[in-house]
Amino acid sequence: LPTNQPSVLMKNRPNILFIMVDNMPAELLGCYGNDEIHTPHIDNLAQGGIQFDEAYCPNAMCSPCRASALTGLMPSQHGVHTWLDDRVMHRWPEKWGAIEEFNSLPKTLKVHGYQTALIGKYHIGDPAIAQDGFEHWISFPHGHTLNFYNNTVIENGCTDTYAGHSVDYFTGKAVEYLDRYDAGADRPFFMFLTYNAPYGHWPACKGPSDNRFASLYEQTPMHSVPRRGLNKKTIDLYELQKHLSGGGLDFGALLRIPNDLTTLRNYFSQMSMVDDGVGQVLSALTRNRLDNTLVIYTADHGFSLGHNGFWGHGQACWPSSPHHASFNIPLIVSHTNRITDSRKSEIMVSGVDLFATILDYVGLSSELDGSTSASRSFAPALQDDSADWQNRVFMEQEETRAIRTPQWLYMKRFKGSETFPLEDELYDLQNDPNEESNLLADSASPPILTELDKQLDAFFSDHLDPRFDLWSGGAVKSNSSRTWLWEDAWGDSWKPVY
């Protein structure tokens, strides 16, 4: 944790509004080219800021991405490799936080005088109590969403029920916070506003939508979503989960949702709910003259809507496949009168880079630990895209590690299990932009493979903690989505840690 005393704040140190939504590919926004979605407020935010078209999550599951954004560490460093399963919360230590031992954005910013607020989904520890340096705490008790209505909510230790839509609840609480904030205060604010939408899973998105934007999509043809058959990898996962996971979640939904127009229209309407909420929060900034606010809009991870033949997260097929839709996230950065050169940026950035970028932007780069952090600051690119930048991103999904460059996507698979043999994949993104033709399916490997493999191994050699290195017998925090794989590789004694 930071050990220095609170710094003397510069008068122009900005507030930070960090908006993160749940399960959303970049292409679900109008500003990213979708002509069927209604997102005027987020589109307007992009018009006044920097829109990153090549932003990717480090892992396409909720909890790892949130942990990485707040710590600047990869899953193999912080130990959260998949969603923290609500069904095993009873095993967690009392008041457990998955990233409590690490430095984090809210902890660091609080040390340097920021007010800190979480409003929305947490999903990286016990949601009932304030965690991780957050002073103001409004959340709800689940990582998953079963229904957008009639949810239990938690406000600074007090539990209640909100009958309306959860997006409206979190929006109202964010607006209330901003309306009460003293613009002349010595302490700027850091608000982590984390909507639990658009989400995209049953039962929350099953059947016709009943929110106020449902009518916008009743006749939408959904041509912006690919219509294709299921990838065999999706069926393979279903069969494995059915026989090996011991039951529980209905993984069969992943076979039934693709091409379901009712679900798609429901999902689009939930995105419009988010956009409306963002619009209300941005209006509150303007109304309260909080112009000196860095605004970041992003998603925890992408979401496949049938792309490459599967639906949902990066672990929605077997083996996991970090294809574009599941890992490409929206990322829009705006700051009135500070970021004046609005444009689209093509540099490749990662959700893990948000940690370093935010600290660097507000003048706290001295708090960055370059010896361990995987986070790179792209703050200079907010002013000038010509700044030096290594144009590549690294991703991991338990048994899959990947590197993406402007031309290549290389997926390397864990080879330590005889029961579950896995093959690597390589895609030429310039000649195969839809990532359909695996070049490693042929006998001859392209020469570039050696270099990509070298870069991938070097990155994970530098950015892992042996305790959480699954490929060498390490463990996960709380739970794994592939328990049967790691028990097969490392024996029945392998188990999660806390």
Side-chain angles (χ1 to χ4, degrees):
L1 302 184
T3 56
N4 50 323
Q5 296 298 313
S7 63
V8 178
L9 291 170
M10 299 180 294
K11 289 185 178 180
N12 64 346
R13 183 164 287 172
N15 305 307
I16 305 165
L17 173 60
F18 185 3
I19 304 172
M20 177 178 283
V21 303
D22 198 13
N23 301 4
M24 179 199 161
E27 63 182 63
L28 195 60
L29 292 173
C31 57
Y32 280 85
N34 193 314
D35 61 2
E36 293 187 310
I37 195 75
H38 181 76
T39 52
H41 302 293
I42 300 172
D43 296 345
N44 186 60
L45 181 69
Q47 290 176 7
I50 310 297
Q51 174 182 316
F52 290 87
D53 287 347
E54 294 293 325
Y56 298 88
C57 53
N59 177 300
M61 298 294 281
C62 300
S63 303
C65 291
R66 293 160 191 268
S68 289
L70 293 183
T71 64
L73 303 174
M74 293 293 289
S76 287
Q77 293 177 293
H78 57 59
V80 183
H81 281 274
T82 188
W83 69 297
L84 296 184
D85 191 341
D86 298 331
R87 298 169 300 173
V88 301
M89 287 180 65
H90 63 281
R91 302 177 192 165
W92 297 354
E94 185 179 2
K95 301 180 181 180
W96 180 69
I99 58 172
E100 59 188 352
E101 73 264 42
F102 301 114
N103 189 14
S104 68
L105 277 174
K107 288 176 183 175
T108 302
L109 293 170
K110 182 181 177 182
V111 164
H112 288 278
Y114 273 79
Q115 302 179 39
T116 57
L118 170 86
I119 300 177
K121 171 178 171 175
Y122 184 57
H123 208 185
I124 39 179
D126 185 348
I129 59 169
Q131 297 262 13
D132 199 41
F134 285 110
E135 300 165 301
H136 186 67
W137 184 268
I138 296 177
S139 190
F140 73 153
H142 307 293
H144 64 285
T145 297
L146 297 177
N147 197 308
F148 288 112
Y149 297 92
N150 297 307
N151 279 293
T152 299
V153 292
I154 302 164
E155 181 172 0
N156 296 317
C158 297
T159 301
D160 201 354
T161 300
Y162 183 74
H165 199 290
S166 54
V167 168
D168 285 337
Y169 175 76
F170 294 132
T171 296
K173 290 299 179 180
V175 170
E176 179 182 291
Y177 183 93
L178 296 174
D179 285 344
R180 292 180 177 178
Y181 176 73
D182 180 3
D186 292 332
R187 298 181 67 199
F189 67 78
F190 169 67
M191 181 193 293
F192 192 31
L193 176 56
T194 60
Y195 288 114
N196 64 320
Y199 197 62
H201 285 305
W202 289 354
C205 287
K206 189 174 185 178
S209 170
D210 57 359
N211 67 47
R212 59 183 173 273
F213 293 99
S215 61
L216 289 178
Y217 301 103
E218 286 178 349
Q219 303 301 320
T220 303
M222 294 293 161
H223 62 71
S224 61
V225 176
R227 317 301 274 280
R228 56 175 296 169
L230 292 174
N231 191 314
K232 182 179 179 297
K233 294 176 183 177
T234 300
I235 300 170
D236 289 345
L237 175 66
Y238 171 73
E239 293 296 330
L240 278 170
Q241 298 286 15
K242 183 172 65 175
H243 295 295
L244 300 174
S245 71
L249 295 178
D250 179 13
F251 292 96
L254 299 177
L255 308 183
R256 303 195 300 272
I257 294 178
N259 299 312
D260 185 283
L261 287 178
T262 302
T263 298
L264 287 167
R265 290 166 178 158
N266 189 323
Y267 179 71
F268 272 48
S269 75
Q270 307 303 339
M271 186 64 240
S272 291
M273 287 290 294
V274 170
D275 179 78
D276 184 62
V278 170
Q280 293 182 52
V281 174
L282 295 178
S283 292
L285 287 178
T286 301
R287 181 173 64 252
N288 291 290
R289 299 181 179 179
L290 299 173
D291 292 337
N292 188 20
T293 300
L294 173 69
V295 179
I296 299 171
Y297 177 89
T298 191
D300 50 4
H301 54 79
F303 200 75
S304 181
L305 304 176
H307 304 77
N308 299 94
F310 65 95
W311 179 277
H313 305 82
Q315 288 184 337
C317 57
W318 175 254
S320 305
S321 291
H323 283 294
H324 186 269
S326 288
F327 277 76
N328 185 215
I329 55 175
L331 178 58
I332 300 166
V333 184
S334 177
H335 189 176
T336 302
N337 299 325
R338 297 287 187 92
I339 298 176
T340 57
D341 181 21
S342 59
R343 65 185 185 280
K344 294 185 178 182
S345 174
E346 296 296 327
I347 69 168
M348 302 184 73
V349 298
S350 169
V352 76
D353 295 330
L354 290 166
F355 174 81
T357 300
I358 291 173
L359 292 181
D360 188 14
Y361 188 86
V362 301
L364 296 175
S365 59
S366 61
E367 294 293 342
L368 300 174
D369 183 357
S371 65
T372 59
S373 178
S375 189
R376 308 167 297 172
S377 172
F378 57 81
L382 298 176
Q383 305 298 332
D384 181 5
D385 248 359
S386 65
D388 288 341
W389 190 256
Q390 202 164 41
N391 225 19
R392 62 184 186 180
V393 291
F394 296 90
M395 305 166 283
E396 61 173 318
Q397 201 78 63
E398 297 211 29
E399 82 294 334
T400 299
R401 292 174 176 173
I403 176 175
R404 179 183 282 269
T405 73
Q407 181 171 357
W408 302 101
L409 171 60
Y410 170 47
M411 308 175 188
K412 185 172 184 176
R413 299 288 170 26
F414 174 69
K415 303 296 195 307
S417 168
E418 294 183 2
T419 305
F420 304 102
L422 299 172
E423 301 295 330
D424 302 335
E425 298 178 47
L426 177 67
Y427 297 89
D428 182 343
L429 303 179
Q430 292 186 4
N431 296 303
D432 178 24
N434 293 324
E435 304 167 11
E436 301 283 356
S437 179
N438 174 20
L439 299 180
L440 299 188
D442 300 327
S443 56
S445 299
I448 188 63
L449 180 62
T450 299
E451 177 59 25
L452 292 172
D453 191 70
K454 179 181 177 181
Q455 291 184 36
L456 189 64
D457 286 351
F459 176 84
F460 280 99
S461 176
D462 291 338
H463 299 102
L464 59 78
D465 184 321
R467 294 177 299 164
F468 309 125
D469 178 13
L470 288 169
W471 289 31
S472 297
V476 298
K477 289 182 178 176
S478 179
N479 55 277
S480 165
S481 292
R482 315 296 201 212
T483 299
W484 30 268
L485 173 66
W486 307 118
E487 288 179 346
D488 180 76
W490 308 121
D492 293 339
S493 62
W494 182 92
K495 61 182 179 180
V497 296
Y498 301 98

